[in-house]
């Protein structure tokens, strides 16, 4: 079976075909997700919260990311595999390249980093060394302490313009995918129209080129209150349905543009 490529994802954007993305941290979930038709598996540093029990993603190490990437990569067949850099493992271009090489060796197709203009030297160095890069704008979990908590970003004119400018700059620098997290739906639509690479939204409205959720969130396994941008797809399927039915429902609703709706978006 042929593995999807970044070019395939870009062609999906050009065709107007939505891209279904979910996080994966181990072989069993990765297999179920692929069977359900998920096109991109994201080994997210969110594992620090949903698997390791930390309050933030900051304690996650690059060894953690390599370990979980290797588990997913052993069983994936068709899905594109993106892995997060862990906190403070891409502070300089040289450090970023070393970290990226570890993730690629573990089976990742692409590495994901957080940040805007300040990341351009790192992105250039990675691209120059043939490392595919995914950007991440809006709410940046690795900067949650600096941001003062998990808050929607880009709600004021200056903040919105900064995100648009950053998206254009990162795209021009050579990233091939862009995650937009917790920004107003209208802003996400504007960013998506401004760049020719796919945007993947999480709490960013229905007009991104694709959607991503933390797999534990969309199965209703979140601690405490459900995130506004998420949805319990397992509960929605009713009693007796398994997790693969929930994954298939997610893929279908993303493809049909039924998820996210207004309830799961920010104004």
């Amino acid at each position: 079976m042929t593995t999807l490529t970044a070019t395939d994802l870009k062609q999906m954007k050009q065709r107007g075909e939505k891209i279904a993305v979910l996080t994966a941290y181990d072989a069993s979930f990765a297999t179920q997700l692929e069977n359900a038709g998920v096109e991109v598996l994201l080994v997210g540093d969110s594992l620090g919260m949903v698997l390791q029990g930390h309050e933030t993603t900051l304690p996650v190490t690059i060894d953690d990311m390599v370990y979980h990437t290797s588990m997913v990569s052993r069983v994936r067949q068709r899905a594109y595999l993106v892995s997060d850099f862990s906190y403070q493992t891409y502070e300089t271009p040289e450090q970023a390249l070393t970290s990226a090489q570890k993730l690629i060796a573990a089976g990742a197709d692409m590495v994901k980093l957080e940040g805007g203009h300040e990341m351009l030297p790192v992105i250039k160095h990675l691209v120059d060394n043939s490392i595919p890069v995914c950007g991440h704008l809006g709410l940046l979990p690795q900067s949650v302490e600096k941001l003062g908590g998990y808050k929607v970003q880009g709600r004021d004119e200056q903040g919105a313009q900064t995100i648009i400018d950053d998206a254009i700059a990162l795209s021009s620098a050579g990233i091939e995918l862009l995650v937009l997290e917790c920004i107003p739906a209208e802003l996400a639509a504007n960013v998506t129209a401004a760049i020719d690479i796919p945007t993947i939204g999480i709490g960013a409205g229905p007009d991104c080129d694709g959607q991503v959720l933390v797999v534990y969130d969309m199965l209703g396994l979140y601690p405490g209150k459900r995130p506004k941008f998420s949805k319990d797809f397992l509960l929605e399927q009713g009693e007796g349905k398994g997790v693969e039915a929930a994954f298939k429902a997610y893929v279908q609703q993303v493809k049909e543009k039924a998820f996210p709706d207004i309830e799961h978006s920010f104004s």
Side-chain angles (χ1 to χ4, degrees):
M1 184 179 295
T2 303
T3 303
L4 291 171
T5 66
T7 299
D8 293 325
L9 301 178
K10 187 172 183 178
Q11 290 173 347
M12 290 176 70
K13 174 186 176 91
Q14 293 168 346
R15 294 194 300 267
E17 181 181 351
K18 296 294 185 180
I19 302 166
V21 187
L22 283 170
T23 63
Y25 314 108
D26 61 40
S28 296
F29 269 92
T31 299
Q32 293 270 326
L33 293 171
E34 279 215 308
N35 289 343
V38 173
E39 284 116 356
V40 180
L41 302 176
L42 171 62
V43 184
D45 61 355
S46 50
L47 65 87
M49 301 171 75
V50 299
L51 295 185
Q52 297 177 339
H54 298 297
E55 292 186 359
T56 70
T57 64
L58 304 188
V60 176
T61 68
I62 193 65
D63 288 340
D64 292 333
M65 297 308 304
V66 167
Y67 174 67
H68 287 277
T69 297
S70 65
M71 287 194 286
V72 173
S73 70
R74 288 189 192 106
V75 298
R76 71 82 180 255
Q77 298 183 45
R78 180 175 181 269
Y80 195 68
L81 180 52
V82 181
S83 294
D84 275 344
F85 279 126
S86 53
Y87 181 58
Q88 290 188 334
T89 60
Y90 53 105
E91 298 293 287
T92 66
E94 294 75 21
Q95 183 193 32
L97 180 59
T98 298
S99 298
Q101 289 169 336
K102 293 178 180 180
L103 294 172
I104 297 296
D109 298 313
M110 176 180 282
V111 296
K112 183 169 78 64
L113 52 75
E114 298 181 8
H117 277 79
E118 71 278 9
M119 298 311 303
L120 293 178
V122 167
I123 292 170
K124 182 179 186 304
H125 191 59
L126 292 173
V127 171
D128 286 348
N129 282 276
S130 302
I131 303 290
V133 181
C134 174
H136 187 144
L137 295 174
L139 173 61
L140 307 179
Q142 292 179 5
S143 300
V144 65
E145 294 179 356
K146 179 180 177 182
L147 295 173
Y150 294 94
K151 300 177 180 178
V152 179
Q153 303 296 305
R155 274 184 157 157
D156 63 292
E157 184 176 349
Q158 180 179 352
Q161 190 59 52
T162 296
I163 290 174
I164 292 173
D165 292 344
D166 281 342
I168 293 171
L170 267 58
S171 178
S172 298
I175 70 166
E176 298 179 79
L177 204 61
L178 178 62
V179 171
L180 299 173
E181 181 168 359
C182 289
I183 65 174
E186 182 179 359
L187 172 58
N190 290 338
V191 171
T192 300
I195 58 179
D196 63 1
I197 62 170
T199 59
I200 307 297
I202 177 168
D207 294 316
C208 294
D209 299 305
Q211 299 292 330
V212 62
L213 288 176
V214 172
V215 69
Y216 287 85
D217 287 351
M218 58 83 66
L219 292 176
L221 301 178
Y222 40 80
K225 185 179 179 182
R226 173 180 64 83
K228 171 182 169 62
F229 54 77
S230 190
K231 176 180 178 180
D232 190 337
F233 285 84
L234 184 59
L235 179 64
E236 183 183 70
Q237 300 316 298
E239 187 176 353
K241 301 290 186 179
V243 294
E244 191 167 326
F247 298 153
K248 288 180 177 178
Y250 170 78
V251 172
Q252 181 178 359
Q253 290 183 34
V254 168
K255 296 291 186 184
E256 294 177 351
K257 307 179 185 180
F259 177 84
D261 56 19
I262 294 176
E263 177 188 351
H264 308 103
S265 305
F266 298 102
S267 60

